[in-house]
Amino acid sequence: MNAVMNMERTELALEAWRTVDEIKRSPIYREFTEAERALLGPSGPAAELARFAAAKDAYEPVLRFGKHHPDFKRLAAELAAAKTALLSTPEHRRYAAAQDAINAVLDPIAAGIRAIQDDCRVGTKTHCGKR
């Protein structure tokens, strides 16, 4: 019986890799990787990325104190301004659109995989015990 289970798992793994390869060959995935390279590459908005990273690094330690920290409002405003500047770049808008497009393809695939896994579970499928 173990040989049958191993074969089924092997087939499932092979099918998963075929699906990954098919996704990676798709024009939507290529557009996503090109948009990511344009955003993070040397010709991308490096100044905006650096400003956002610095503002985030400065804000995170203050965040655990919240509004009670004396620099909270100033650092929150700086982070918001840096994020707005980054999100308004054409490279980031292209990246966000490409990310939405690839997620629109991947979400139904992931839902199908979850449905298959849910069918294999033992016990209830919801917290309240109802299907």
Side-chain angles (χ1 to χ4, degrees):
M1 183 159 198
N2 284 341
V4 172
M5 289 298 287
N6 287 338
M7 184 58 152
E8 288 176 4
R9 289 179 182 165
T10 301
E11 287 299 317
L12 285 172
L14 289 172
E15 186 59 31
W17 284 113
R18 280 187 214 114
T19 303
V20 168
D21 290 340
E22 183 179 327
I23 291 167
K24 286 185 175 182
R25 284 191 304 270
S26 72
I28 291 173
Y29 183 80
R30 281 190 301 247
E31 172 59 30
F32 171 74
T33 57
E34 289 170 11
E36 185 178 44
R37 268 191 300 257
L39 177 66
L40 301 176
S43 62
E48 287 85 355
L49 284 168
R51 182 177 168 213
F52 176 74
K56 186 176 177 186
D57 288 344
Y59 178 72
E60 284 179 350
V62 171
L63 181 60
R64 66 185 173 137
F65 296 106
K67 64 182 180 180
H68 303 292
H69 193 282
D71 294 330
F72 179 76
K73 285 184 180 180
R74 179 183 59 81
L75 292 173
E78 288 175 9
L79 178 60
K83 185 176 180 180
T84 300
L86 176 61
L87 296 179
S88 66
T89 62
E91 293 88 356
H92 192 279
R93 285 195 303 269
R94 178 182 171 203
Y95 173 76
Q99 189 176 36
D100 289 343
I102 191 73
N103 283 337
V105 171
L106 296 177
D107 287 344
I109 294 170
I113 292 169
R114 278 190 301 276
I116 292 168
Q117 289 175 331
D118 285 345
D119 286 344
C120 296
R121 291 183 183 200
V122 176
T124 61
K125 302 214 184 322
T126 63
H127 297 293
C128 62
K130 298 179 182 174
R131 187 167 170 90

